[in-house]
Amino acid sequence: MHIDLRGRTALVTGSTQGIGLAIAVGLARSGARVGINGRTAARVEEALATVRAEVDGADAVGVVADVTDAADAERAVTELGGVDILVNNLGIFGAADPLSIDDDEWRRYFEVNVLAATRLSRLVLPGMIDGGWGRILNIASDSAIVIPAEMIHYGVSKTALLGVSRGFAKAAAGTGVTVNSVIAGPTHTGGVEDFVYQLVDKDLPWEQAQREFMRLHRPQSLIQRLIEPEEIANMVVYLSSPLASATTGGAVRVDGGYVDSILP
C-alpha cells in the first residue's frame, strides 16, 4: 500500500512530542508538508530537528502558536497558507478525584480538548470544501467510551470530540472532505509515564510499572501493553490519504482491543 501525500499541507497540533510528533514524522515520510505546532519556539525547533533526522528531505515548518487562543489559531492556519490535512492532536489529561474537579477545571478541559479542535475545523473546512479535498482527524481516546473513574473530565471531553467529528463530517457531506476520529488506546508517551506513576508505586522500574498499570487499571487491553505512538500515527497517515476516501464520520479504533465492543 503506497501512500503519497506530496502537494498536501498538514497541520498537527501539539506535535512537539508523543503521539503528535509521531504523526508529524509519519505524514512527512509520506511526502506531506507538515506544520509542527507547539507553544514555544524552542520546543518546536527541537521537534523539527527530530522530524528532519527521521525523514530525509522532510518538508517540515514550525508553527509556534497556542491553538487554544482564537487569534493564534487563525494565525497558524494563515502562516501555513492553507491546510489540506488537519490533525487535532492537542489534548490534556490527568488523574483527579471526581468530586474535586471544579467548574474552572471542567472548562479548561473543554477549552483545550474540544473547543480548540472545533475552532480549527471551522477555520480550515471552507478552504477544503472549496478545493474539493481535505482531511480532518481528531485524536480521541478509549476514555471517550469507557469513562475512567480517575479522570471523568478527560473522558467526557473526548466523548464530546467524537460528536464534533461526526457533526463536521455531516457538514462536509459530498464535498470530498472527510472527518474522522481516531480512538487511541493507552499509549506510551512521556506524559503517560508520569500518569502511570500517579497510580502505581513510584519506586517500580518502568517495565514493571507499565505491567502493573495495565493489570490494575487497563485489564481489558487485548495486547496487554501500552501502544507505541507510531502505531497511532500509522492509522492517522492512512486516514489522511486518498486511500481512505470512503471513510468519514467514523470513530476508528487503535486501542489494542481495550474497548470491549464490536462497535465504537
Side-chain angles (χ1 to χ4, degrees):
M1 184 177 293
H2 179 64
I3 294 177
D4 185 356
L5 295 175
R6 287 175 296 179
R8 302 297 186 187
T9 294
L11 171 61
V12 185
T13 66
S15 48
T16 58
Q17 62 182 350
I19 294 172
L21 181 55
I23 291 170
V25 169
L27 291 170
R29 189 171 283 128
S30 295
R33 173 175 173 256
V34 183
I36 308 296
N37 166 245
R39 290 180 297 175
T40 68
R43 293 293 300 277
V44 169
E45 285 301 320
E46 184 180 341
L48 283 170
T50 298
V51 173
R52 290 165 180 161
E54 291 281 338
V55 183
D56 287 341
D59 188 357
V61 295
V63 182
V64 181
D66 177 359
V67 295
T68 67
D69 176 81
D72 257 19
E74 187 168 2
R75 178 175 58 80
V77 172
T78 301
E79 283 183 2
L80 282 173
V83 173
D84 303 300
I85 300 165
L86 171 64
V87 182
N88 286 309
N89 168 75
L90 178 68
I92 54 175
F93 65 94
D97 176 354
L99 300 182
S100 73
I101 306 169
D102 62 19
D103 289 357
D104 286 342
E105 189 71 342
W106 274 100
R107 290 188 188 97
R108 186 170 78 94
Y109 269 72
F110 268 78
E111 285 284 348
V112 177
N113 292 354
V114 184
L115 292 180
T118 302
R119 183 181 299 115
L120 281 166
S121 297
R122 286 202 314 265
L123 286 169
V124 304
L125 195 52
M128 291 178 176
I129 291 172
D130 286 347
W133 196 95
R135 300 287 184 264
I136 298 176
L137 283 305
N138 293 316
I139 306 303
S141 166
D142 56 81
S143 296
I145 304 165
V146 185
I147 305 292
E150 73 275 7
M151 49 180 185
I152 292 174
H153 52 339
Y154 171 73
V156 171
S157 71
K158 290 299 186 177
T159 305
L161 193 59
L162 298 183
V164 167
S165 301
R166 182 69 184 177
F168 274 111
K170 290 181 177 181
T175 66
V177 179
T178 67
V179 185
N180 291 287
S181 297
V182 174
I183 298 176
T187 305
H188 181 197
T189 66
V192 167
E193 287 193 17
D194 294 339
F195 176 66
V196 166
Y197 278 118
Q198 290 181 41
L199 299 174
V200 303
D201 187 345
K202 293 179 173 58
D203 295 326
L204 290 175
W206 167 246
E207 287 303 322
Q208 188 176 345
Q210 175 184 183
R211 288 194 298 272
E212 187 73 354
F213 170 76
M214 297 301 288
R215 182 181 71 83
L216 293 175
H217 299 282
R218 300 294 186 270
Q220 303 98 315
S221 171
L222 299 184
I223 62 173
Q224 299 181 359
R225 63 169 174 83
L226 290 172
I227 298 163
E228 293 302 319
E230 293 75 16
E231 294 175 297
I232 308 296
N234 290 340
M235 179 62 77
V236 173
V237 172
Y238 165 70
L239 291 172
S240 298
S241 77
L243 300 177
S245 55
T247 303
T248 190
V252 183
R253 287 163 49 189
V254 190
D255 68 342
Y258 175 77
V259 178
D260 191 11
S261 170
I262 59 174
L263 294 172

